[in-house]
Structures are given as C-alpha cells and as structure tokens.
Amino acid sequence: MNRNILDKEVQQFIKANREKSPTEIALKKSPFQNVSSAELASQIDGWQRSVKKLPTWAYSDGIYYPDKINLEQCSSEHTALIKQTLIAKGSRVIDLTGGFSVDSCYLAQEAEEVIHCELNEKLSEIVAYNARILRVNNLKCIATDGIAFLEDAEDDAFDYIYVDPSRRVNQGKVFLLEDCEPNIVANQTLFLRKSRYVISKLSPLLDISTALSSLKHVRFVYVISLDNDCKELLFIQERGYEGECTIRSIRLFQDQLQTFEFTYEEERAIISRFLLPQKYLYDPDVSISKAGAFKSIGKYFGLGKIHQHAHIYTSDQLQVNFPGRIFEILDVRPYSSLKKQNPWPQANIAIRNFPDKVEVIKKKFKIKDGGHTYLFFTTDINNQLIIIACKKLA
C-alpha cells in the first residue's frame, strides 16, 4: 500500500481524472514523484469498477482501491445487503476469507464485532484503512489464515462464520466444492464447533443438490440474482439442524426485491398443470430456475406449464407479482408456418425446449435482433413445435 496515493494533491488528481481511460493515464508521465502512472491508473480503474458495484466506496473521499482482481471477486453492495439480514443484532462474526471486505462491512452494521481474516497483508492493510474512512469501527482486520485463526479460537467463540472459498487454486479454476480453498466440506465439523451458524458464499454455477449432499445441517439455501443474472448461492448451516432445507430465491431488479421459497420435498410432491398458450406468458427469473422451483412456482401463481421440459408458463388471468418477465400473447403459430411466410423481420428470440438454436433460427428466417416483439420458440403439450409471439408487460 503506497500511502503517498493518499496525499491531498494525488487524491485531487485522481478525482479530476476518474472519468478518463485508465490506459490513457498509465501511458502518460506521472506528475508525482512518489506515485507512478500505473498506480494512478489502478486507482482510477478501481473507482470506475466501483461506481455501480460499490457506490458507497466510490462516493466516499479517500478510498484506496486494491488490485482489480480483488474488486472483480468481491460481492456487490446489493448482495451484501442480503447477507446483513441473515445475522442477529449484536452478534460475533468472523469472516474467514475477508477479501476487499464488502460483506464484512455490511455484516459489521449488525454485529458487535467482525473479525476480518485475510492472508494478503497488503489487502488487509487497505481494508483496515478503508474501514476507518467508512467509519466501520467494529471491523478488526487480521492478516492471517482464517482456518488457522479459527483452530486457535475457543469453541463457541463466534455466533456466525462467514466464508467465501476461492474457486481459483494454483492459478486454475476448480469446480468441485472440495477443491475450493478453504475446503468447507472437510472443515465443517470445525466450523460448527466454533460457531452455531456457518454462512458459505458459493459459486452460482454449483449444483445445489450436489452441495447439499456434501454439507451437513443446512437449514437454508439462498439463490440471489441481480437483473436476471445469478450472482451467488448462500448455504446457511445451523449446528444440530436435521430438518428439511428451505430454498429461498431472491430476485433483485430495478431497485426492487422479490422472494420465493419452497422445499425440494414440496417440489417433488407437486403435479404440474399443462395448458396450451393462454392470454399471458411468464418466463421465470434465473433465481427461480437455478433454485429448481419449476413446479412450485406454477402452483403458487396458478399457472399452467407450456410443456414438461419448457419452463415457461401461461394463464388467462394476469399475475403481476410473478418473479420474472411477463408477456401478453399476441399470436401462436406452428413452427412449420414460418417456412411459408415470416411476419417478424425483427424480434427478440428465445428458445425453450426447442431443437434449433437462436442463431440458427435468425439466420434461417432472416430475423434481426431487437424491436418490441418477443418470439418464444418452444414445444406445446401436444409435442408440436410452435412460436409464441408476445409483447413484454414487465
């Protein structure tokens, strides 16, 4: 951490040039003797990456930005807010894999104290400095290995353990939960001895059922999406819990939040209703699809599925609170009719349980992207290939 970057003149320069290209700044000679042009560019790049993802940091004067990989890997403020709701007021928390501390800082707003463990000494120093700027006075930064620190702690030293295992090991990407660092599967007995609750932030690519077979005492799984992009899976373990795991999908969009919860036991017991396309079409948010609530969501909103393997739904009555995109159906045609005449030279195309890919369809029928028409190429309950033309309502 180069503290010369915090000098008033340097900070003024960064603020005055923060809208410029970091590459442009890096190629120019630095106006400061003790701060290189590369360091100036890195701070400007950090600010630009933080504007949408971390506005509290971006619009607080004097923030020191770390290497870009730390900003790429950290949580957004949107998802950190969700984690803040998971802990009790005045609790004791340890973040075993601290990183840039976005989650730790939000947890600290509810906790009595948060211990932030980070092996990278430079990053730990940056976090400690930024915490003072942000007035997060109950965040204690320790440059150490979180597992080693936890092993030395007394049993029940904490109320919550928070861990975000790295999915990059030895410069390569890993896909199995057991291959991440730290190995939360191997360490879960240790975790549940030191704390009653364990909150694990896991990759959105992870298969939830596979993870549940490896982790014990999971009470909740949170599937969090932001603007229809699945961002995180949170697994909440509670010492001694043996009941059914509740799956909660959380949809964040346009400064709104929608939640839906179910259990896999309930999902398995539901018999779906199937319908030909009615007046409205519903395309569930990725948080619903990733959670696997394919039958539960239809039952809850009284919808019919278009086909067993096409996870889109239909109804005659509008369900305005459906967690996903909502369309009014304008036309339904057999796919074969498109060979004779294509009435849609421009449209937004989606496929659901359909043999051809989007690019193939666009090329075959000369359909340009965009416009106000949405075309769903799918299979109906009679196993007929159809096109559902819609306009988007929400």
Side-chain angles (χ1 to χ4, degrees):
M1 181 175 177
N2 182 0
R3 291 191 172 268
N4 294 298
I5 288 173
L6 304 174
D7 290 348
K8 183 179 179 181
E9 295 79 9
V10 178
Q11 287 293 303
Q12 287 175 339
F13 176 88
I14 292 170
K15 191 170 185 177
N17 292 275
R18 64 189 185 185
E19 304 282 356
K20 293 183 178 179
S21 164
T23 303
E24 178 187 334
I25 298 297
L27 292 174
K28 290 182 178 179
K29 183 180 179 181
S30 171
F32 308 104
Q33 184 177 355
N34 297 317
V35 180
S36 69
S37 55
E39 288 175 315
L40 292 171
S42 177
Q43 292 302 301
I44 289 169
D45 179 73
W47 181 84
Q48 291 176 2
R49 290 176 184 274
S50 299
V51 169
K52 289 186 178 180
K53 188 176 184 179
L54 308 171
T56 300
W57 276 254
Y59 293 105
S60 296
D61 290 336
I63 291 293
Y64 193 111
Y65 295 98
D67 296 337
K68 68 177 182 180
I69 184 120
N70 302 127
L71 287 170
E72 288 171 350
Q73 293 178 344
C74 74
S75 298
S76 69
E77 288 193 57
H78 293 91
T79 59
L81 271 167
I82 301 298
K83 301 182 190 85
Q84 187 186 77
T85 67
L86 303 180
I87 69 168
K89 194 84 174 173
S91 52
R92 299 158 296 162
V93 181
I94 181 169
D95 184 343
L96 297 180
T97 51
F100 190 48
S101 82
V102 178
D103 290 325
S104 290
C105 286
Y106 271 86
L107 292 171
Q109 293 179 31
E110 292 294 315
E112 180 181 341
E113 181 182 59
V114 175
I115 305 294
H116 175 280
C117 297
E118 173 52 55
L119 267 172
N120 184 329
E121 291 187 15
K122 176 186 172 183
L123 183 57
S124 183
E125 183 184 4
I126 291 171
V127 168
Y129 162 77
N130 285 339
R132 290 193 294 273
I133 294 294
L134 296 170
R135 298 181 182 178
V136 185
N137 300 318
N138 58 338
L139 184 68
K140 183 179 180 181
C141 297
I142 304 175
T144 189
D145 175 80
I147 297 294
F149 184 89
L150 195 64
E151 287 174 334
D152 290 338
E154 295 180 358
D155 289 356
D156 283 314
F158 303 98
D159 298 304
Y160 298 89
I161 290 172
Y162 178 73
V163 58
D164 177 8
S166 174
R167 293 172 283 282
R168 289 195 174 274
V169 180
N170 298 324
Q171 298 182 334
K173 203 162 187 178
V174 298
F175 299 95
L176 296 177
L177 196 55
E178 292 84 352
D179 292 336
C180 297
E181 290 184 356
N183 184 338
I184 65 171
V185 176
N187 284 294
Q188 57 187 321
T189 300
L190 168 69
F191 293 170
L192 290 167
R193 199 171 73 241
K194 304 296 182 178
S195 171
R196 182 178 175 183
Y197 298 100
V198 182
I199 303 173
S200 298
K201 172 188 166 185
L202 303 179
S203 167
L205 299 177
L206 186 73
D207 181 74
I208 295 173
S209 296
T210 302
L212 286 174
S213 68
S214 300
L215 297 175
K216 300 179 292 186
H217 312 302
V218 179
R219 184 158 195 165
F220 297 103
V221 174
Y222 285 73
V223 183
I224 305 173
S225 73
L226 177 61
D227 296 330
N228 204 31
D229 182 11
C230 192
K231 292 294 186 182
E232 297 175 3
L233 302 179
L234 299 178
F235 283 68
I236 318 297
Q237 293 169 274
E238 180 181 348
R239 182 196 297 158
Y241 181 74
E242 299 293 348
E244 180 79 4
C245 173
T246 298
I247 315 294
R248 287 181 177 165
S249 74
I250 298 184
R251 180 195 183 204
L252 303 171
F253 69 109
Q254 300 173 357
D255 294 324
Q256 298 181 59
L257 181 149
Q258 282 181 312
T259 64
F260 183 80
E261 71 173 51
F262 69 106
T263 69
Y264 286 145
E265 186 177 9
E266 292 168 348
E267 174 74 9
R268 287 188 291 269
I270 293 170
I271 298 174
S272 292
R273 185 166 63 116
F274 299 95
L275 292 173
L276 291 169
Q278 307 289 300
K279 189 173 181 180
Y280 301 101
L281 184 78
Y282 305 87
D283 183 27
D285 182 75
V286 67
S287 63
I288 299 293
S289 302
K290 178 63 184 181
F294 301 120
K295 294 189 286 186
S296 300
I297 198 72
K299 178 183 177 183
Y300 184 85
F301 286 98
L303 310 176
K305 289 191 78 174
I306 297 293
H307 187 275
Q308 181 180 355
H309 303 299
H311 303 306
I312 49 177
Y313 307 80
T314 189
S315 72
D316 256 337
Q317 300 297 318
L318 181 60
Q319 299 293 330
V320 294
N321 294 319
F322 181 83
R325 297 189 300 171
I326 304 173
F327 302 87
E328 182 180 352
I329 296 176
L330 305 175
D331 192 10
V332 181
R333 299 189 181 195
Y335 174 55
S336 57
S337 69
L338 213 58
K339 296 175 183 177
K340 300 174 185 176
Q341 181 188 12
N342 173 23
W344 304 293
Q346 185 179 37
N348 303 281
I349 296 175
I351 57 171
R352 298 291 186 271
N353 188 36
F354 196 81
D356 289 339
K357 296 185 182 299
V358 170
E359 291 305 318
V360 171
I361 293 169
K362 288 196 295 187
K363 185 176 181 181
K364 185 185 291 187
F365 300 107
K366 298 181 173 59
I367 302 174
K368 293 182 180 180
D369 274 328
H372 299 293
T373 301
Y374 290 77
L375 301 179
F376 282 83
F377 288 72
T378 188
T379 306
D380 68 15
I381 57 176
N382 298 316
N383 288 318
Q384 300 299 307
L385 299 180
I386 61 170
I387 308 160
I388 306 174
C390 315
K391 71 174 181 181
K392 191 177 179 184
L393 300 180

